[in-house]
Structures are given as C-alpha cells and as structure tokens.
Amino acid sequence: DGRMVRGDARQRVLHFTFDDGPRPETTGPLLDHLDAAGVHATFFVVARQLGGSGARRERNVAMVRDTLRRGHQVGFHGLDHSAFSGLTGPQLDHQFRAGEAAFVRALGQRPYLVRPPYGRRNVDSDRVVVARHYTQVMWGITAADTSQTTARGVVEAFRSALRRREDGPRARGGVVLLHDTKPWVIEAFPALVAEVRARNCALLARGPSEELWDIAPDLTPFFEARRAGDHASLMTRNGGYAPAVQAARQTVLRAETVRHCAER
C-alpha cells in the first residue's frame, strides 16, 4: 500500500529477485535451478512481454504462469522498461494502466509489487505507486551481472558483496538484484547458492552464537506494513524478521548447515 522496500536488512538474510523477463530460453532453466536449490524468488516482469499475440506471447505467458505455480512471486517492471523518472504524468499513467491490463489478461489479476526499471524513480512516479497501492521493491546487493558477462565474474562479484556485508555494522543482508535474461546468471546461480552455504559452514565454525546466512522465500523480512493512518513514511525499516521468527529460522538453518557441512 505505497511502501518502498529499500532492500537492506540488519540480519544476514537474502532474497533473490530477477528482472526483465520472462525469456523462456533462460527463465525456464533458472526455475529448474531454483527448484533444485529449494529457493523461492521474486520475478519482476516487463508487461509488454505478456501482450500482443502469437506463439512468443503464449510462451511468455506460460512461463510466468509456471513461475507462479512453482511458488515464486511476480511483480511489475514497467510496460516497456522505460525509466519511470523520465516519463510525464500521462506516460506514467499509461505505463501502469496498460501494464496492469496485460497482467490481468494473462494471469487474471494485477500485480502489487513493482520495481522501477534501472531503479530510476522520482517524486512523481512515487505518487503513482502510492495511488495504485503498490509496494516498490529496490535492492541492496548485486552480482554486477549487467557488467560481468561470465558466470565466474557474477560469482566473484556476489562473493565480494557478501564479504563486505558479512560483518557490516548496519546492513548485513539484502534483496539481491539479478536478471533472468542473462545466460551467465543462469549458469552462475547454483554456484551463488553454494557460496551462501559455504559461508555458513565457515560461520558455523566460529561458534554457536554466530548468525548464519538465511535465504528468505519472500520479501517478508524487508517489508513493514503501514499502521492505520500512517501516510508520512514511504521507506520501510530494515529490521528483518521479528526476533522469535528469526530465532526459529536460525535453529532450523543451523541444523541443516551442520548436516550439509558434514557431507562436504
């Protein structure tokens, strides 16, 4: 309802997000990798991919339906990937109205998550987001997959990002920005999950009080609902999971990590 997720968290928690799809040639294999890893993600879809007619449109619609069927979330990434901050009021209105119509025709419902293309937003686009009751989702961690063009480069960039955040005093975790249209991202993804699990083995060895990296199945730890009558604050806080939920998840994660590290 008009909130904006900034994409950071004080806890060591990650959530993977993928922009610019669908592209059946790459999104399909990525969904298989996510299934194999037991990870749920959020996909921000360019709405024009769901419009028009013909075989390509049908494949795209089928891919987004399969994404939902497998338990992932789907959000809006603009009608045609135009930067929101560069659009006039009427152009912004068209982006959202036409984009929502494409979603409704393809999936039977409009989205309520939005990510501005390129992350470019301004006061005018924020007003549209609020008026149309979206939650705007930014990010805190990238794997530089628009500048890196190899799986190895993506893995190294992701490893560096986690290393910088691991002992960060304020923001340890974050929403991870990736693109499901890049073949090198699809190739790299199993290694990204393996990197998280390897770091947890190292953290486990530090002692029982060390917080492990948690891969969240949705945006819950990054989202803060509005209180009744609260329309002043746009940004959500980066508190992460509630303490009791965090403790329960860490207990399960620690047991899984012990088993995983013993099998390595």
Side-chain angles (χ1 to χ4, degrees), residues 230-251:
D230 172 19
H231 298 290
S233 175
L234 181 66
M235 286 281 194
T236 63
R237 292 177 298 198
N238 59 349
Y241 283 114
V245 175
Q246 164 76 347
R249 290 185 65 87
Q250 284 287 309
T251 297

Side-chain angles (χ1 to χ4, degrees), residues 5 16-17 32 40 50 64 66 84 88 94 107 117 123-124 126 133 145 147 157 195 198 211-212 215 233 255 263:
V5 171
F16 288 102
T17 64
D32 292 339
H40 287 108
L50 305 179
V64 176
D66 191 35
F84 289 170
T88 65
H94 174 68
L107 306 174
V123 172
D124 291 334
D126 286 350
H133 307 289
D145 64 338
S147 57
E195 175 65 22
E211 182 185 16
L212 303 182
I215 300 178
S233 175
E263 294 168 359

Side-chain angles (χ1 to χ4, degrees), residues 63-115:
M63 184 57 58
V64 176
R65 288 176 178 171
D66 191 35
T67 300
L68 291 167
R69 182 186 63 79
R70 298 196 198 199
H72 307 289
Q73 294 176 299
V74 171
F76 178 52
H77 197 44
L79 175 64
D80 55 12
H81 208 268
S82 295
F84 289 170
S85 60
L87 300 177
T88 65
Q91 288 171 331
L92 278 168
D93 186 65
H94 174 68
Q95 285 278 321
F96 280 82
R97 289 186 183 276
E100 289 169 10
F103 269 84
V104 170
R105 284 194 302 271
L107 306 174
Q109 61 184 17
R110 57 153 283 189
Y112 285 91
L113 298 175
V114 62
R115 172 169 285 160

Side-chain angles (χ1 to χ4, degrees), residues 34-263:
L34 287 161
D35 282 351
V39 172
H40 287 108
T42 300
F43 289 76
F44 289 96
V45 169
V46 177
R48 71 177 176 188
Q49 304 276 60
L50 305 179
S53 60
R56 182 72 186 185
R57 185 261 181 187
E58 293 304 316
R59 287 196 298 271
N60 287 342
V61 170
M63 184 57 58
V64 176
R65 288 176 178 171
D66 191 35
T67 300
L68 291 167
R69 182 186 63 79
R70 298 196 198 199
H72 307 289
Q73 294 176 299
V74 171
F76 178 52
H77 197 44
L79 175 64
D80 55 12
H81 208 268
S82 295
F84 289 170
S85 60
L87 300 177
T88 65
Q91 288 171 331
L92 278 168
D93 186 65
H94 174 68
Q95 285 278 321
F96 280 82
R97 289 186 183 276
E100 289 169 10
F103 269 84
V104 170
R105 284 194 302 271
L107 306 174
Q109 61 184 17
R110 57 153 283 189
Y112 285 91
L113 298 175
V114 62
R115 172 169 285 160
Y118 313 103
R120 289 175 57 187
R121 40 170 282 273
N122 59 17
V123 172
D124 291 334
S125 67
D126 286 350
R127 287 195 187 106
V128 174
V129 167
V130 171
R132 301 189 79 83
H133 307 289
Y134 280 88
T135 294
Q136 193 164 202
V137 182
M138 306 304 283
W139 62 89
I141 296 174
T142 78
D145 64 338
T146 57
S147 57
Q148 300 289 341
T149 57
T150 66
R152 180 177 179 179
V154 168
V155 173
E156 288 297 331
F158 182 68
R159 180 178 294 123
S160 295
L162 294 191
R163 188 183 301 119
R164 287 192 300 271
R165 287 194 169 236
E166 196 154 88
D167 295 308
R170 299 183 67 181
R172 291 182 168 187
V175 174
V176 182
L177 169 65
L178 294 163
H179 297 80
D180 58 314
T181 56
K182 308 293 187 186
W184 48 90
V185 170
I186 313 314
E187 182 183 350
F189 185 77
L192 301 186
V193 176
E195 175 65 22
V196 174
R197 291 173 176 165
R199 299 196 79 82
N200 277 348
C201 289
L203 290 169
L204 191 68
R206 291 188 190 179
S209 63
E210 193 69 44
E211 182 185 16
L212 303 182
W213 285 102
D214 188 359
I215 300 178
D218 54 37
L219 290 158
T220 296
F222 305 95
F223 178 75
E224 176 194 19
R226 286 188 188 275
R227 296 178 181 178
D230 172 19
H231 298 290
S233 175
L234 181 66
M235 286 281 194
T236 63
R237 292 177 298 198
N238 59 349
Y241 283 114
V245 175
Q246 164 76 347
R249 290 185 65 87
Q250 284 287 309
T251 297
V252 173
L253 180 57
R254 188 167 295 276
E256 292 174 348
T257 302
V258 168
R259 289 194 298 270
H260 169 74
C261 299
E263 294 168 359

